[in-house]
Amino acid sequence: VVVYYGSREDRAVIREHEFFFKNEKGHIVSPHMRKAQVVLTTYDMVTAEDWEELRIIRWACIIVDEAQRMKVFTFALFY
């Protein structure tokens, strides 16, 4: 489980080191092989702050506790 929260710099470090396996040159081995099986974050991190970085991941499942807030958000993250 990766907790995706913190400052912009903290989240950049998490994306860099905790999401994907990388080779010696720092390139992602495969976008389908992820280190994190579960990413725990807040609605605000997903929608307002980092949705462009997170939408490139092909999520198998997304559970949002504050789903009532989602009707005002573009669902581009989930495609």
Side-chain angles (χ1 to χ4, degrees):
V1 174
V2 173
V3 177
Y4 188 75
Y5 194 77
S7 69
R8 186 176 300 275
E9 293 81 17
D10 293 339
R11 295 187 317 270
V13 169
I14 292 169
R15 287 192 307 272
E16 179 69 24
H17 297 285
E18 301 297 331
F19 280 6
F20 297 104
F21 292 103
K22 296 186 177 183
N23 62 21
E24 307 82 42
K25 296 181 180 180
H27 298 111
I28 294 173
V29 174
S30 170
H32 304 292
M33 283 181 38
R34 293 185 289 276
K35 286 183 180 180
Q37 297 297 313
V38 175
V39 176
L40 179 64
T41 191
T42 66
Y43 173 86
D44 294 322
M45 291 292 115
V46 172
T47 58
E49 305 229 0
D50 293 345
W51 76 272
E52 287 190 23
E53 289 87 359
L54 298 173
R55 70 184 288 243
I56 64 170
I57 298 172
R58 302 215 30 128
W59 300 99
C61 178
I62 297 178
I63 300 170
V64 180
D65 185 35
E66 300 182 57
Q68 72 277 6
R69 294 174 66 187
M70 301 220 34
K71 55 185 158 180
V72 297
F73 180 67
T74 303
F75 287 92
L77 175 68
F78 308 111
Y79 294 105

